[in-house]
Amino acid sequence: MDIRQDVKEFLTSRRARVTPADAGLPAGSNRRVPGLRRSEVAMLADMSVEYYARLERGNLAGVSDPVLESLARALQLDEAERSHLFDLAHTANRAAPTRPRRRGTARWVARPALQAALDAVTAGPAFVRNGRMDILAANRLGWAFYDDVLTGATGTPNLARFTFLDTEHAERFYPDWNLAADIVVAILRIEAGRDPHDKGLHDLVGELSTRSTEFRTRWGAHDVRHHGSGTKGFHHAVVGDLELAYEGMELTAEPGLSLTIYTAQAGSASEERLRLLASWAASQGWPGHPAVVPDPDPVERTTP
């Protein structure tokens, strides 16, 4: 991943999305671009055309926060896109290593207090993941919930690999597979903006780009989104359809990791099916997933 190329493609794609009508400008005639011209973005952002052209060539080094705010307004970025632009700029201002950074070889293991907190969640799946979508820890119901993901995993279970490389099971597990695929890529894009020099992320994106046209197309779109809360539909091979609400939160004590908890509406069919899933997990003797090899040193990155 090349930070300058990522900046160039992100700004170009956002500019192409905004029409003159969206920006309150006359369309004119003989337009050769699908969205705004560079000169129009520069005018809206109150900067020179030459300066904006420099930014769109991928050079965000030294750009101030007020300039980034003006640019975000001109391009009509949503909150997730604005945050991504700031991440790209902050990354551009950090010294880049000469090669992707490898992480340590030590295995990450959830602190006893963190695992106890996960195990205290009994009404729904709860799990911890990193920005590369590796599942690092979970409660018993979480491992049972992701049984399909674990079945095909070698080493650390990864939701991105599952979604794009095990499509037979993924398309069953995610009834709206296209939405799930969009979300996975958007999360990886955000992580790439925060830490483009992570060797594990490099390898994952390279693998998925090589093996999946669906991933490659989405990756090239540079779409990002926040994924903190909402509702998702699933189809579990053992208990059937599930409609679950989710809440995600960053773990303050573990920078770079997030906790997600799924719950079902009280009295719903999904709540009953989660109870059945918990019974099935208990009958299988799920103490956890012994094959999991968690992400080595998952906190090794600077949070902007």
Side-chain angles (χ1 to χ4, degrees):
M1 290 170 286
D2 182 333
I3 187 66
R4 291 178 67 100
Q5 187 66 22
D6 281 350
V7 171
K8 176 181 177 180
E9 292 176 0
F10 179 67
L11 292 180
T12 301
S13 63
R14 300 312 97 167
R15 175 166 64 86
R17 188 187 58 186
V18 182
T19 67
D22 292 334
L25 300 174
S29 58
N30 299 321
R31 299 188 69 87
R32 294 181 293 177
V33 293
L36 296 178
R37 299 184 175 105
R38 289 192 183 92
S39 59
E40 292 168 332
V41 175
M43 178 189 68
L44 292 168
D46 194 24
M47 62 182 66
S48 70
V49 177
E50 292 76 14
Y51 187 69
Y52 175 71
R54 170 202 155 191
L55 301 184
E56 197 175 277
R57 285 195 295 270
N59 187 0
L60 290 184
V63 179
S64 68
D65 286 358
V67 169
L68 294 174
E69 291 284 8
S70 296
L71 184 56
R73 286 193 297 271
L75 293 174
Q76 301 183 16
L77 304 185
D78 64 23
E79 184 56 34
E81 292 168 330
R82 175 192 169 279
S83 297
H84 185 58
L85 175 63
F86 273 74
D87 284 341
L88 291 171
H90 294 158
T91 299
N93 280 291
R94 296 199 297 266
T98 56
R99 64 182 62 185
R101 185 186 64 254
R102 290 188 180 275
R103 298 183 184 269
T105 57
R107 291 174 55 179
W108 183 87
V109 178
R111 291 175 290 106
L114 175 56
Q115 186 62 55
L118 288 168
D119 293 338
V121 180
T122 58
F127 69 99
V128 173
R129 67 163 178 82
N130 59 18
R132 298 198 300 271
M133 306 295 288
D134 293 326
I135 302 175
L136 303 176
N139 63 358
R140 177 180 292 188
L141 194 49
W143 292 127
F145 177 70
Y146 281 122
D147 182 50
D148 272 349
V149 182
L150 300 172
T151 299
T154 57
T156 307
N158 181 275
L159 292 171
R161 285 193 181 92
F162 171 70
T163 302
F164 289 99
L165 303 184
D166 188 5
T167 53
E168 177 184 353
H169 293 101
E171 288 176 359
R172 179 185 67 189
F173 186 66
Y174 299 118
D176 190 345
W177 182 88
N178 283 302
L179 176 60
D182 289 344
I183 290 172
V184 165
V185 176
I187 291 172
L188 292 181
R189 262 294 172 201
I190 287 175
E191 186 67 11
R194 291 172 176 168
D195 191 2
H197 310 302
D198 174 6
K199 179 63 164 60
L201 184 60
H202 268 257
D203 292 346
L204 177 63
V205 170
E207 176 187 4
L208 296 178
S209 297
T210 300
R211 299 178 60 185
S212 171
T213 301
E214 292 279 5
F215 176 85
R216 189 164 58 249
T217 300
R218 286 172 169 81
W219 186 253
H222 288 263
D223 290 333
V224 296
R225 70 171 76 185
H226 286 155
H227 189 60
S229 64
T231 303
K232 287 183 182 179
F234 302 93
H235 180 86
H236 194 277
V238 175
V239 300
D241 292 336
L242 294 164
E243 188 75 15
L244 303 177
Y246 64 90
E247 290 289 336
M249 58 207 80
E250 299 296 318
L251 293 176
T252 304
E254 300 282 0
L257 304 187
S258 62
L259 167 67
T260 301
I261 300 174
Y262 287 107
T263 56
Q265 184 177 354
S268 67
S270 292
E271 183 184 43
E272 178 60 28
R273 288 167 185 160
L274 280 182
R275 291 195 189 102
L276 292 174
L277 183 61
S279 297
W280 176 77
S283 72
Q284 300 297 307
W286 285 72
H289 185 65
V292 174
V293 180
D295 177 34
D297 194 15
V299 301
E300 186 191 333
R301 79 166 168 79
T302 302
T303 303

